[in-house]
Amino acid sequence: DRDYLALSHFLFGSLSTLTTFVIAISIKDKNIIRNILLVTIFLFILIVVVFIFQNPNISYGGGSIKFYGKQLYYLNSNGFSRYLVFIYIIFFFKFIFSKKNYSIKFLIPLIFISSLIFTYEGRVNIFTLIILNLFIFFYSINIKKKIISFVILLILPILFSNYIKNIRDYKGEIINLKKILNFNIRTTRLQQEGKVFTLKQYFDHAAVSSNDLTTGRMSKWKEILGYDQTVTNYIFGNGPEFDRVILEKKDLILFGNDAANSLLYLYLCGGFLGLFIILIFGLYQLYLFYFALVNLDKINDIYFSICIKIFIFVAIRSFFENSYVSWSIDQIIFILTALYWNKYLKKYLKNTF
């Protein structure tokens, strides 16, 4: 009962992306992937600037990018803050690779960007941000500088994000500096008639059920795993976006109608065959990642470091979102960064051993 022709753009989009990048790496110009990355980075920065300009009321939720009053692109706060993580990764490695070792001109943008990430409250993005900051310890720089930098990049953004929320809520009223600097961590995840809650109230509310804590993911995952299919569908799947077909129910629609997990999306839409293919790919990437981690301090290519960290971010995100398994920004950037760091690492290992 599904209009498969209308859904085919997901498949064509993925195939087009793969084909474009395969052609790109087959061209002998070694800078072509790097140039594509630079254009992609520029587009991310443009999206962030336009979104914040058009949606200045920073909070957990969503907003649109408009052009002459027409909506071009809708982003929820979680989806938007992933762009901030992409840009953060770029500045992070500019910070690491700077000649002065941790230049202040890169530290300030890092604090500002991570403050915004904390403000938008995307839990996966915040968790990934902390994991990414831990990579600072893999580089051979003074241990004291590493610890100070890590603490600064963790503590200051938490403080500043809370102050941003305090300032935001005045909306033109006389500013009371004491209230702005009041460190009572707040969240906009529980909104009732514009009220803003403390983080403790959020966790108290979330503890009531797994649905509140996981934003409906537990119920969605149970629904997908309990869905009855034919043997053919179990093997080959049901086609793109089938998660939306079975999740469009009253009790689940409040949390969105996506699987919110790349493996469950693949199981439902691509069957066990899709899961098998992604398992082989995942094992191969883990194999390469081991060698990347061992040689991380010896590889001085900043684009390699940027690509492998963005790749890791999208991979972590895929456990809580459909992410790269469906044609999207995540998939495009996942393929692009994988091609670069895979190719670079294999060339490095070949020349080294």
Side-chain angles (χ1 to χ4, degrees):
D1 298 327
R2 301 175 73 212
D3 190 351
Y4 283 94
L5 187 60
L7 293 167
S8 61
H9 73 278
F10 288 98
L11 296 175
F12 292 146
S14 297
L15 290 171
S16 299
T17 303
L18 282 166
T19 304
T20 302
F21 291 152
V22 167
I23 292 170
I25 61 173
S26 66
I27 297 171
K28 300 216 172 166
D29 182 1
K30 64 180 181 181
N31 292 319
I32 193 162
I33 294 292
R34 189 173 295 182
N35 291 336
I36 294 173
L37 270 170
L38 288 171
V39 172
T40 306
I41 290 163
F42 171 76
L43 288 173
F44 286 164
I45 293 171
L46 184 64
I47 289 169
V48 165
V49 171
V50 173
F51 183 87
I52 291 177
F53 179 76
Q54 294 188 351
N55 301 273
N57 186 25
I58 298 168
S59 63
Y60 180 77
S64 300
I65 292 177
K66 295 178 181 178
F67 186 72
Y68 285 100
K70 302 289 184 183
Q71 182 176 305
L72 293 180
Y73 193 24
Y74 178 84
L75 280 168
N76 60 34
S77 54
N78 186 41
F80 169 70
S81 60
R82 76 182 155 175
Y83 291 105
L84 291 170
V85 176
F86 291 148
I87 297 168
Y88 181 89
I89 290 169
I90 295 156
F91 276 98
F92 182 77
F93 285 100
K94 285 285 186 181
F95 178 61
I96 294 289
F97 283 88
S98 60
K99 291 179 182 177
K100 292 182 181 179
N101 278 345
Y102 305 157
S103 170
I104 192 74
K105 70 179 180 181
F106 295 120
L107 182 62
I108 291 171
L110 283 174
I111 294 169
F112 174 71
I113 295 166
S114 50
S115 297
L116 286 177
I117 293 169
F118 275 98
T119 303
Y120 280 107
E121 300 184 30
R123 290 167 296 181
V124 176
N125 297 325
I126 292 170
F127 172 73
T128 310
L129 185 73
I130 295 168
I131 296 296
L132 289 169
N133 284 341
L134 287 171
F135 274 90
I136 205 167
F137 294 102
F138 286 94
Y139 293 90
S140 57
I141 304 166
N142 182 283
I143 187 67
K144 186 179 176 182
K145 282 186 177 180
K146 289 179 182 179
I147 294 170
I148 291 171
S149 298
F150 179 78
V151 171
I152 288 172
L153 289 173
L154 181 63
I155 301 301
L156 287 184
I158 294 173
L159 287 168
F160 291 155
S161 67
N162 200 57
Y163 301 155
I164 289 169
K165 290 174 190 175
N166 288 346
I167 292 170
R168 178 199 62 216
D169 294 331
Y170 278 94
K171 298 178 181 177
E173 297 173 18
I174 297 171
I175 293 177
N176 183 323
L177 190 62
K178 186 178 179 182
K179 286 184 179 179
I180 289 173
L181 298 178
N182 175 29
F183 189 66
N184 185 14
I185 300 180
R186 306 158 84 230
T187 177
T188 51
R189 278 184 169 269
L190 300 178
Q191 289 199 3
Q192 294 175 7
E193 298 178 359
K195 292 180 181 178
V196 183
F197 295 81
T198 66
L199 201 63
K200 182 181 182 301
Q201 287 172 315
Y202 165 66
F203 282 117
D204 287 344
H205 181 80
V208 174
S209 74
S210 58
N211 252 355
D212 289 323
L213 186 60
T214 63
T215 326
R217 284 179 175 84
M218 289 300 292
S219 289
K220 292 196 284 188
W221 294 344
K222 287 176 185 176
E223 189 77 23
I224 290 170
L225 290 171
Y227 181 71
D228 269 337
Q229 306 179 74
T230 64
V231 174
T232 303
N233 290 133
Y234 272 121
I235 297 172
F236 298 105
N238 299 276
E241 301 285 283
F242 193 72
D243 52 341
R244 282 158 167 71
V245 174
I246 67 169
L247 293 177
E248 285 182 344
K249 296 183 176 181
K250 272 190 174 179
D251 57 334
L252 295 175
I253 199 68
L254 290 170
F255 303 109
N257 56 3
D258 61 309
N261 181 283
S262 62
L263 295 178
L264 289 179
Y265 178 88
L266 267 180
Y267 157 74
L268 195 61
C269 302
F272 288 120
L273 181 62
L275 280 176
F276 177 74
I277 292 169
I278 209 68
L279 175 64
I280 298 300
F281 171 77
L283 290 173
Y284 180 62
Q285 292 307 297
L286 284 172
Y287 169 76
L288 288 179
F289 181 68
Y290 166 76
F291 289 102
L293 207 57
V294 169
N295 295 283
L296 198 60
D297 194 37
K298 300 169 190 171
I299 298 174
N300 293 316
D301 185 90
I302 190 170
Y303 290 97
F304 172 83
S305 294
I306 288 170
C307 284
I308 198 168
K309 301 315 177 298
I310 290 178
F311 180 88
I312 291 168
F313 166 58
V314 177
I316 292 172
R317 180 178 159 80
S318 72
F319 287 102
F320 306 96
E321 306 288 347
N322 289 357
S323 192
Y324 67 87
V325 294
S326 178
W327 187 53
S328 60
I329 290 292
D330 275 26
Q331 187 183 90
I332 293 169
I333 201 70
F334 188 72
I335 295 170
L336 179 60
T337 53
L339 285 172
Y340 188 90
W341 81 264
N342 277 221
K343 186 180 180 184
Y344 187 96
L345 181 65
K346 285 187 274 189
K347 186 178 178 182
Y348 172 83
L349 293 174
K350 184 180 178 183
N351 294 336
T352 306
F353 300 104

